[in-house]
Amino acid sequence: MTELRIGVVGVGQRAGVATLANRPGTARVVSCADPDPRGRAEARDRFGEHVAIHDRHEAMLEDRLDAVFVLTPDYVHTEPVLTFLEAGVAVFVEKPLAIRIEDCDAILAAAAKTGTRLFVGHNLRHLPVLRRMRALIDEGVIGAVTSVWCRHFVGHGGDYYFKDWHAERANTTGLLLQKGAHDLDVMHWLAGGFSRRVTALGGLTVYGSNPHRTGGTAGLRMKDWFDTSVWPPSELRDLNPVIDVEDLSLMLSEMDNGVLASYQQCHYTPDYWRNYTVIGDEGRMENFGDGISGDDAVIRVWNRARSGYRAEGDLNIAVPPKPGGLHGGADAALVTEFLRFVAEGGSIETSPVAAREAVAAGVAATTSLRSGGGAVEVPPPDPALVRYFEL
């Protein structure tokens, strides 16, 4: 097999995922673009002297690429993705697919029109604990799924999302979308359906009253300021001058298959992990620990009898993380899938349509949250596009 020629647009905080694509004999990063001099310098450091470096992604079209990683901030995904799809270059785009439903639909339409391969970086579908939960559902250990709950304790939320561009609606729509797209995609995946009606409440409950908005992180990246020793969250300094996204959000969803879901996201908890609960008509399961930081996770299943509180389940399944570092090995598995997809085609665990559905649910929930919490319908995608991506 000819070695794939890979490009990278945006050499920033997620550039590590593209580094995983440097596999001599299989794939090699040969071209990068970043408007920031720091990003261009990091491209040289990460990928070597042989790499073509540009300040505009359009210049990469001259570099004979087979595939490209679009790792820009969320609000500038759409233009480079469309550029490369229309040029016939396979695209890996970091989640969320975009921050507006219209942009997601334009991207899906471009991929379908050109026949170019599109892949969205929903790496949690490769997280070992979630793959095992999906397998247990398929095995019928809790019967038919009726409800999925997720509590996301974003313990580093102040450092991750309130000191840079993430803090502004113009760049994210809101954290129910930007941060929640991962979880909404997983909840849809575990439930076997997509959100069609949502309601949400939330607010800017902690960081909104923090006066320390100096803009001191301009030109820096999260790793430059991240400090786990700062506590409580009100002691954080150098927050973004503009903060207009919520730090606490609660969402309810009704899916097209009747499954009901609950999503809760808080950005100032002392701990950082995700807890998923899946309830069926013959039992329930829940994860303790998620493996994302390299820790072990346990899935507990209660499905044999009624009882009072039992800390241990009827099944207690330890799930160690995969080797490979980033996100418990999920990133390495994701990149492996993408490179195989570029080279061979075939089915993939991730789904462009599902990525669009996660954004649509996040947009609708944010609309509900900011308009009093009333029910909001989630617009479905074009059926012709759904059929295309199912082939």
Side-chain angles (χ1 to χ4, degrees):
M1 183 180 69
T2 303
E3 188 176 73
L4 297 173
R5 293 174 59 82
I6 305 296
V8 182
V9 182
V11 188
Q13 300 197 162
R14 281 294 279 160
V17 74
T19 304
L20 296 170
N22 255 336
R23 304 181 182 188
T26 299
R28 188 182 302 273
V29 174
V30 298
S31 176
C32 296
D34 198 307
D36 183 353
R38 177 171 176 173
R40 296 195 293 273
E42 185 167 331
R44 185 72 68 205
D45 292 341
R46 279 185 177 272
F47 304 116
E49 292 299 320
H50 71 282
V51 176
I53 306 294
H54 308 281
D55 59 1
R56 298 170 53 254
H57 67 267
E58 295 90 344
M60 298 171 65
L61 294 173
E62 303 298 319
D63 293 334
R64 298 181 294 110
L65 300 176
D66 298 299
V68 64
F69 286 81
V70 176
L71 307 176
T72 63
D74 304 341
Y75 58 97
V76 285
H77 280 179
T78 304
E79 183 181 347
V81 169
L82 291 176
T83 295
F84 288 102
L85 289 176
E86 290 164 1
V89 178
V91 173
F92 175 115
V93 55
E94 181 60 288
K95 72 86 197 167
L97 177 57
I99 65 169
R100 302 192 313 153
I101 300 172
E102 305 95 299
D103 288 341
C104 291
D105 289 341
I107 289 170
L108 296 186
K113 178 181 178 181
T114 62
T116 308
R117 289 170 182 161
L118 172 65
F119 188 97
V120 187
H122 276 286
N123 54 359
L124 291 190
R125 290 199 181 204
H126 285 281
L127 190 68
V129 67
L130 292 175
R131 294 188 67 79
R132 190 62 183 276
M133 292 179 81
R134 177 68 255 184
L136 290 167
I137 291 169
D138 292 342
E139 292 166 16
V141 299
I142 59 169
V145 174
T146 60
S147 190
V148 180
W149 307 348
C150 176
R151 299 181 299 163
H152 193 165
F153 310 107
V154 193
H156 303 319
D159 276 305
Y160 284 0
Y161 301 107
F162 289 88
K163 293 190 175 186
D164 63 5
W165 59 267
H166 295 88
E168 301 183 37
R169 296 182 183 188
N171 301 331
T172 63
T173 294
L175 294 175
L176 258 180
L177 188 163
Q178 198 284 332
K179 184 61 171 169
H182 261 326
D183 296 314
L184 295 173
D185 178 63
V186 167
M187 294 168 72
H188 289 160
W189 183 48
L190 295 177
F194 296 118
S195 296
R196 285 291 164 259
R197 188 162 62 111
V198 300
T199 182
L201 295 173
L204 184 53
T205 57
V206 169
Y207 300 115
S209 61
N210 188 318
H212 302 291
R213 305 186 188 187
T214 65
T217 62
L220 303 177
R221 295 180 181 171
M222 187 270 294
K223 63 184 179 182
D224 298 324
W225 66 70
F226 184 64
D227 183 357
T228 59
S229 70
V230 178
W231 187 259
S234 59
E235 293 299 311
L236 284 169
R237 297 295 188 269
D238 297 327
L239 271 63
N240 199 61
V242 176
I243 299 178
D244 59 6
V245 297
E246 295 76 19
D247 55 19
L248 177 65
S249 304
L250 312 174
M251 169 184 168
L252 297 176
S253 162
E254 181 180 34
M255 299 191 195
D256 51 13
N257 60 356
V259 172
L260 300 179
S262 169
Y263 179 51
Q264 303 167 46
Q265 181 190 95
C266 182
H267 285 265
Y268 48 85
T269 57
D271 49 341
Y272 189 15
W273 64 294
R274 293 170 167 92
N275 169 256
Y276 295 95
T277 296
V278 186
I279 300 172
D281 58 8
E282 297 179 5
R284 77 173 182 92
M285 73 172 74
E286 186 173 355
N287 69 290
F288 295 85
D290 56 25
I292 287 177
S293 299
D295 53 307
D296 289 343
V298 175
I299 301 169
R300 296 194 175 112
V301 179
W302 294 265
N303 66 348
R304 293 181 185 165
R306 289 182 289 179
S307 71
Y309 171 75
R310 287 184 286 145
E312 296 297 308
D314 298 306
L315 295 173
N316 301 280
I317 303 168
V319 184
K322 288 183 178 179
L326 298 170
H327 290 96
D331 282 3
L334 187 76
V335 171
T336 296
E337 180 179 53
F338 175 61
L339 296 179
R340 190 270 303 159
F341 182 54
V342 173
E344 303 172 10
S347 62
I348 51 177
E349 295 290 339
T350 59
S351 161
V353 171
R356 182 267 186 203
E357 292 279 27
V359 170
V363 168
T366 303
T367 299
S368 172
L369 185 157
R370 294 175 182 164
S371 58
V376 175
E377 301 295 320
V378 181
D382 181 344
L385 291 176
V386 174
R387 289 192 295 273
Y388 171 81
F389 286 101
E390 286 178 344
L391 296 178

